[in-house]
Amino acid sequence: MKRIETIIASCVINMAVATTAAGQDITDSKRLSGEIYTEVNHGHRYYGNERTIWDFPHIVGAATAEFGRGWSIEVELEYERIHEDGEWCNDLKDNFSSNKLYVNKRWSDALNIKFGIVDIPIGITNAGGPALTIYDPESESRIMPMTWHEAGAALHGQYKNVSWSVALLAYSDFTLSNTTMLGSAVTADLRPADGLRIGIGGFAGKPHHGMIHAFADCFDRQNGTTFYCALSADYENNGITADGSLIYRSADGGRSFGAEIGYDIGSLMTAERISAIPFVRHDRTAHTAEPDMAKWTFGINISPISNLTIKAEYGLRHLSGCETEKCIDAGIGYSIPF
């Protein structure tokens, strides 16, 4: 996957140069916007001899550059360094990821095409939803890739209160003769009311390359096609944050459920806005390679000032046939928009 990311990065840069040159007569329309987010987390590790984990530094940089005439480039880069089993992981190849790196051409709100390293927005977390936990919800991270991205192209758009995307995904090892199709992903979101999104997404492909390949160890590698299907919904309005997802994986009949709800008690204050969201979450997974799991999480997210977030949570996690584990996690993050 790192090879194809290098190739695509070069192509995207060349495309940016060419697009800039072609649009020199409309340079006033160029815009650059984005965000840099960094966080430090300390939490409980469920496997291994050492049961704690540090996450530092964890930096995510995202930016969109618009070049006019409907052309833009979107990039999201992530670096995450983890301390586990008594040592830091200092391998740049393992710590760094290009979550998004694509060129987008817009004809209208309803019709766009993007190509490069494209995101696979299936589920709550991969779609950038409002998950409140410090780490990715286990109902999703145990069954499919997180920050799921692959090389490919996608048609996407929004018409009235419906948004959609259809992606064709591929894997390449420098040469066209070694290029193979990974599969396809389809998503559709309905927004019937303010703050409410209801989505459905699916993936069909072979788990032999790309990010899905990492999850091939979780089920038998097979010659056939692996299917994912996900139903998800989230609501953010009137101080309430709620979301949930149901996911099914055909390879092993794996399935999961996750849901959470929180309320911003800071919205009750009439003074300068301070956000404080206590929440509760429940996750369940079944029929995956690991034992069936059920987990309750109770936490709070506090933003005492703009762009600063402090998180703390307590979890009760039970694996089938094992004792219930108790854990405490904490984290602090800061974002810099531009």
Side-chain angles (χ1 to χ4, degrees):
M1 185 63 185
K2 296 299 181 182
R3 281 185 170 184
I4 188 62
E5 287 184 3
T6 303
I7 296 172
I8 290 174
S10 177
C11 292
V12 169
I13 292 171
N14 290 334
M15 177 66 73
V17 173
T19 304
T20 302
Q24 284 180 349
D25 58 328
I26 52 170
T27 53
D28 289 342
S29 67
K30 291 183 186 178
R31 294 191 302 274
L32 177 66
S33 60
E35 180 182 65
I36 297 174
Y37 177 77
T38 182
E39 64 181 8
V40 179
N41 300 316
H42 180 256
H44 182 83
R45 185 170 179 242
Y46 293 105
Y47 305 104
N49 295 326
E50 187 173 317
R51 306 308 292 274
T52 60
I53 184 171
W54 278 98
D55 178 7
F56 174 78
H58 187 179
I59 303 171
V60 180
T64 300
E66 304 213 14
F67 296 94
R69 298 182 181 177
W71 290 98
S72 63
I73 291 177
E74 184 162 337
V75 58
E76 181 180 287
L77 307 176
E78 182 173 9
Y79 180 84
E80 183 176 16
R81 181 170 174 253
I82 294 177
H83 183 274
E84 56 185 354
D85 289 334
E87 61 182 9
W88 289 99
C89 176
N90 293 313
D91 190 335
L92 179 64
K93 182 180 69 173
D94 293 334
N95 295 348
F96 179 80
S97 177
S98 300
N99 297 337
K100 299 178 188 177
L101 186 56
Y102 59 76
V103 174
N104 188 81
K105 170 60 177 175
R106 176 187 179 276
W107 289 279
S108 67
D109 289 342
L111 182 59
N112 296 250
I113 185 171
K114 57 185 177 183
F115 50 92
I117 301 171
V118 299
D119 51 314
I120 313 298
I122 296 176
I124 291 291
T125 312
N126 285 326
L132 295 169
T133 53
I134 294 175
Y135 298 104
D136 295 328
E138 288 199 67
S139 58
E140 297 196 345
S141 65
R142 284 168 58 96
I143 201 169
M144 67 180 177
M146 294 287 92
T147 60
W148 194 353
H149 57 272
E150 307 285 0
L155 287 169
H156 65 103
Q158 180 172 339
Y159 179 72
K160 295 184 179 180
N161 61 348
V162 177
S163 57
W164 61 277
S165 70
V166 178
L168 294 178
L169 311 169
Y171 175 85
S172 179
D173 191 8
F174 280 118
T175 62
L176 290 176
S177 61
N178 288 330
T179 299
T180 181
M181 291 299 298
L182 281 181
S184 61
V186 179
T187 63
D189 292 331
L190 173 67
R191 291 175 172 81
D194 289 344
L196 175 63
R197 181 196 69 89
I198 301 171
I200 184 170
F203 168 86
K206 296 181 179 180
H208 298 298
H209 298 288
M211 289 191 72
I212 190 64
H213 180 68
F215 274 73
D217 288 335
C218 298
F219 47 83
D220 292 335
R221 287 190 170 96
Q222 53 182 3
N223 294 323
T225 299
T226 295
F227 296 93
Y228 276 89
C229 182
L231 297 174
S232 61
D234 54 72
Y235 179 77
E236 288 185 284
N237 201 10
N238 300 318
I240 299 173
T241 298
D243 62 73
S245 65
L246 286 166
I247 302 171
Y248 173 78
R249 182 173 67 195
S250 67
D252 51 4
R255 54 184 182 265
S256 73
F257 165 78
E260 66 187 355
I261 186 169
Y263 183 73
D264 185 4
I265 57 178
S267 64
L268 301 176
M269 302 179 183
T270 57
E272 186 70 21
R273 180 171 174 80
I274 297 176
S275 176
I277 307 176
F279 70 91
V280 59
R281 179 177 184 90
H282 184 60
D283 295 282
R284 301 187 72 91
T285 61
H287 296 285
T288 63
E290 299 171 340
D292 293 356
M293 181 217 63
K295 181 180 180 181
W296 285 97
T297 304
F298 306 90
I300 186 168
N301 295 349
I302 302 173
S303 294
I305 61 174
S306 178
N307 302 327
L308 176 67
T309 304
I310 301 170
K311 298 183 178 183
E313 59 189 43
Y314 174 74
L316 297 169
R317 183 177 185 266
H318 179 74
L319 297 180
S320 180
C322 302
E323 293 184 0
T324 298
E325 294 187 85
K326 302 174 183 178
C327 58
I328 296 177
D329 301 275
I332 182 170
Y334 189 75
S335 62
I336 305 173
F338 58 89

